Amino acid sequence: MPTPNEADPPAPMPHLSILIPVYNEAGNVVELHRELDVVLRGLGQSYEMIFVDDGSTDGTAALLSAIQDSDPDHVRVAFLRRNCGQTAALSAALDLSRGSILIPMDGDRQNDPADIPRLIAKLDEGFDVVSGWRKRRQDRLITRKVPSWLANRLVARISGVTLNDFGCTMKAYRRRVLEGVRLYGEMHRFIPIFAHWQGAKVAELEVNHRARTAGKTKYGLGRTFNVVLDLILIRFFQRYAQRPIHLFGRIGLWSILLSFLSFAGMLYFKFLHGPLTGDRHKDFVETPLPLLAIMFFLGGVQSILMGVLAEMIMRTYYESQSKTTYLLGEVRQGPH
Ligand code: UDP
Ligand code: MG
C-alpha cells in the first residue's frame, strides 16, 4: 500500500459510505462487491465501500484483500483482530467512514444493493434517517420472523417510534445524525430511535430481502432476548439517564414504606390483634412480616444508594465529555 505523502492533495471525501460488517461470508463477499459496484457506478456520486472483517475464519479476509486490490479507489477494508460482534464491527465501519450519507448493510447478500438509490431518493425528500422494511422477509418463520414481529411491536410501543422493522440493517443516515452516537450490545438497530429523540426526521421504506444463498446465519432465537434487554436499557436512558435518582430513589422510598407497613403489621399481630378481636396473638416468628420488614428496608436503602451512585456516574459522563443535558438547535442573536 502506498504511504500517504505530505505533498499529496487530501483524498476527496466520498459522498456515500456503504458500511458492511462481515463474519464468515466467503461465499458472498465477491458477488456482493460486484453487485454494489454496478449499482454505485450507476449513481454518478462519489462513494466508498467499507468492509469490516469481524475476525472471520473461513478465508473471507483474503477475499476482501483481493477485492480491495481490484478496486482500490472505492473499497476500504478493516480487519478486526477477533470476532467482536456485528454491532461492534458496524461501529468500526462508522468510525472509518467519511461520506455524508451512510448506508449500513449486511454482508450476506440478503439486503439488495439495488435499493440504495431508492433509500437516497427518500433521504432527499427531507429525511435524516430512512429505515429499511423487509416486508417479505426471507428467513425462518418460528425462530426469526415471529419473535422479530413481537419485538418490533414492543420496541415501537416503548420508544414511540412507529417503524415496522427495526432489525433491518439496511438503512440510510445523514452523517450528522450519527455524530456522537456510540453503539453497544445489539443497539445498532435502535439508531433511528436515538435519532428521533434528537429531533431527526425518520422515514421507513420497503426494501427487498433475499434468502441466504451461501454461508449461514449467525443468530438464533437468543438474540430476541438481547434485543429486549437492550430495550429496557433504552427505556431507562430515555426517561432517567439524566436523573437516575428519581427512579432508584422512588423504588427505594416505596420499599422503605412497605418495610414500615410490615413492621407495623408485625407489632399489630403481636400486641393488638388479640385484645381487639379476641383471637390468639401471633408471635413474631409466626408471620413473614419481620422478614419482609427487614428485606424491604435493606432493599430500599440499597436502591437509594444505587441512585446516588448512578447520579455520580451520570455527572461524570456528562461533564467528562462536555455533553450538555439539553439539545441545542440554533442560536440567533445580534452582533453583541
Ligand atoms: N456479522 C458480523 N459479526 C458477527 C455476526 C454477524 O459481522 O459476529 C455480520 C454477518 O456477516 C452479516 C451480518 O452481520 O453480514 C448479519 O448477520 P446474519 O446474516 O447472520 O444475521 P441475520 O440476517 O440472520 O439476522
Ligand atoms: Mg442475514
Side-chain angles (χ1 to χ4, degrees), residues 27 33 40 62 67 71 110 129 144 183 204 234 250 325 327:
H33 171 257
L40 295 172
I67 292 172
D71 187 8
Q110 289 199 267
V129 179
R144 305 304 295 280
L183 303 176
E204 192 168 45
I234 286 212
R250 189 172 319 154
T325 50
L327 289 165

Side-chain angles (χ1 to χ4, degrees), residues 5-22:
N5 188 325
E6 297 258 320
D8 283 346
M13 294 288 179
H15 180 56
L16 205 66
S17 293
I18 312 290
L19 317 173
I20 315 161
V22 282

